Amino acid sequence: MTTRSKWAYRRDERFDYGNPQKPNLPSQTHSLHVGYTWGNDKLNFDSHHASPAGCYLGALVWYGFLFEESPVSLRFTPPGISNEFANQLRKTAWKTVKKERKGSK
């Protein structure tokens, strides 16, 4: 049996993707992409652009890289992102920066 991180995005199994009803959207908790949106009475999926959480993660990585400082102690949390998830994103960003630095030496 495999276990998945509590922070992983999980497809909303309760949403009827085959017959979506406007304006309902599937749960996109912990998604780093824009994901599902409605446009022209059609359910659209955008996996190429970052959600607010994805933008925040990217900014945290840049912060750690440019300032050579951990973003873990930062307290700003963008609207719509839980404090708990924001804390996880800060940790993930710093872990990524440290790993990249170690690999480039």
Side-chain angles (χ1 to χ4, degrees), residues 36-56:
Y36 293 95
T37 58
W38 283 98
N40 297 326
D41 290 326
K42 181 180 176 205
L43 184 64
N44 301 306
F45 181 70
D46 182 350
S47 64
H48 293 26
H49 295 93
S51 68
C55 288
Y56 185 54

Side-chain angles (χ1 to χ4, degrees), residues 45-84:
F45 181 70
D46 182 350
S47 64
H48 293 26
H49 295 93
S51 68
C55 288
Y56 185 54
L57 178 59
L60 292 167
V61 169
W62 274 110
Y63 176 92
F65 178 79
L66 292 173
F67 294 107
E68 297 182 4
E69 182 178 306
S70 171
V72 172
S73 62
L74 298 175
R75 293 292 149 234
F76 171 75
T77 300
I81 299 173
S82 73
N83 287 331
E84 190 179 29

Side-chain angles (χ1 to χ4, degrees), residues 14 22 30 33 61:
R14 297 175 296 168
K22 191 176 179 181
H30 300 153
H33 298 94
V61 169

